[in-house]
């Protein structure tokens, strides 16, 4: 299985901050990476797919980058609605799909 | 508007069985590839399985922890996805989400999710 490691596990930030979340794959996954946002008691919401493609309707302050084993989700200016938990997910076509452990973005 | 509504969750004893359903609307269900994803209480997300559309062969892939115990199926005449769970273990306790695969170029990306249904397996 391909293991996905996110860092940090918790992040404290203020409204307006630039926030960066990292995700590392245990082996190369090319650009087969997605990012989701989840709020308590709710289903995950797709933000980014194929490492850097913004899903329709998602604000442009969200961006993704990376390839191979190192990936990043960036929120350019944190908004009150962005306090949530973020998950990366690899979807290499030749393996089981796996998620990272999550990064909780908290109010500082 | 795409809607996915899960049902069938509940409390079951270890070794028991349960069938979850996911009623879909607002999409052409018979061409959609669908998945189940679960989340144990207070934990992260875990992919369970994916079923292709019948036009793509209708085959199913499973995660290792559920292979041989869980079965994903679909009824395109009813726009419904199912998850049949047998030999349940306490580790299977989770909220189970059904999710729609985004497109044929991103077969592991899920762009629509249901609200989830809680399965609790007691020992």
């Amino acid at each position: 299985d391909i293991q996905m490691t996110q860092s940090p596990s918790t992040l404290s930030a203020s409204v307006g901050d630039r926030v960066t979340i990292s995700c590392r794959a245990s082996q190369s996954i090319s650009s087969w990476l997605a990012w989701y946002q989840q709020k308590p008691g709710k289903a995950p919401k797709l933000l980014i797919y194929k490492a850097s493609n913004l899903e329709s309707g998602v604000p442009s302050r969200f961006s993704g980058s990376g390839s191979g084993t190192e990936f990043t989700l960036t929120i350019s200016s944190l908004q009150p609605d962005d306090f949530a938990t973020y998950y990366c997910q690899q979807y290499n076509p030749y393996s089981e799909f796996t998620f990272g452990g999550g990064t909780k973005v908290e109010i500082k | 508007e795409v809607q996915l509504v899960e049902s069938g969750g509940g409390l079951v004893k270890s070794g028991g069985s349960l069938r979850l359903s996911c009623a879909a609307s607002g999409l052409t269900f018979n061409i959609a590839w669908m998945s189940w994803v679960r989340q144990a209480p207070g934990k992260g997300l875990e992919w369970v399985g994916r079923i292709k559309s019948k036009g793509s062969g209708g085959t199913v892939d499973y995660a290792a922890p559920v292979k041989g115990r869980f079965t994903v199926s679909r009824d395109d005449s009813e726009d419904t996805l199912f998850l049949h769970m047998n030999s349940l273990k306490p580790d299977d306790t989770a909220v189970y989400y059904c999710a729609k695969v985004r497109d044929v170029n991103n077969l592991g990306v899920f762009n629509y999710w249901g609200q989830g249904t809680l399965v609790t397996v007691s020992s």
Side-chain angles (χ1 to χ4, degrees), chain A residues 45-68:
Chain A
K45 173 187 174 184
L46 175 64
L47 300 175
I48 302 281
Y49 64 96
K50 208 164 264 183
S52 60
N53 290 269
L54 192 67
E55 176 67 353
S56 176
V58 174
S60 59
R61 62 181 180 272
F62 291 93
S63 64
S65 64
S67 66

Side-chain angles (χ1 to χ4, degrees), chain A residues 36 38 43 49 55 89 91 96, chain B residues 39 64 102 106 108-110 114:
Chain A
Y36 299 86
Q38 187 179 35
Y49 64 96
E55 176 67 353
Q89 178 223 344
Y91 57 102
E96 292 184 16
Chain B
Q39 186 169 35
R102 188 185 188 280
N106 295 279
V109 177
F110 313 119

Side-chain angles (χ1 to χ4, degrees), chain A residues 18-46:
Chain A
R18 181 181 180 87
V19 167
T20 300
I21 298 169
S22 297
C23 178
R24 174 176 291 178
S26 60
Q27 64 188 72
S28 178
I29 56 170
S30 184
S31 296
W32 302 115
L33 187 100
W35 289 96
Y36 299 86
Q37 176 194 68
Q38 187 179 35
K39 296 182 179 179
K42 300 294 186 182
K45 173 187 174 184
L46 175 64

Side-chain angles (χ1 to χ4, degrees), chain B residues 38-41 89-96 118-122:
Chain B
R38 67 184 181 182
Q39 186 169 35
K89 308 173 184 179
D91 282 352
D92 296 319
T93 294
V95 173
Y96 285 75
L118 176 63
V119 173
T120 304
V121 184
S122 66

Side-chain angles (χ1 to χ4, degrees), chain B residues 8-79:
Chain B
L11 177 63
V12 62
K13 290 185 179 178
S14 183
S17 300
L18 208 57
R19 187 187 79 163
L20 306 184
S21 300
C22 171
S25 60
L27 72 159
T28 307
F29 184 77
N30 66 314
I31 62 172
W33 293 35
M34 302 293 295
S35 254
W36 289 96
V37 177
R38 67 184 181 182
Q39 186 169 35
K43 302 297 184 183
L45 300 165
E46 182 183 26
W47 175 73
V48 172
R50 182 192 66 193
I51 187 166
K52 299 178 183 179
S53 64
K54 286 199 167 56
S56 297
T59 54
V60 187
D61 298 301
Y62 297 98
V66 307
K67 200 167 187 178
R69 300 187 300 123
F70 289 13
T71 301
V72 180
S73 64
R74 61 192 299 156
D75 182 344
D76 289 346
S77 68
E78 296 290 334
D79 291 351

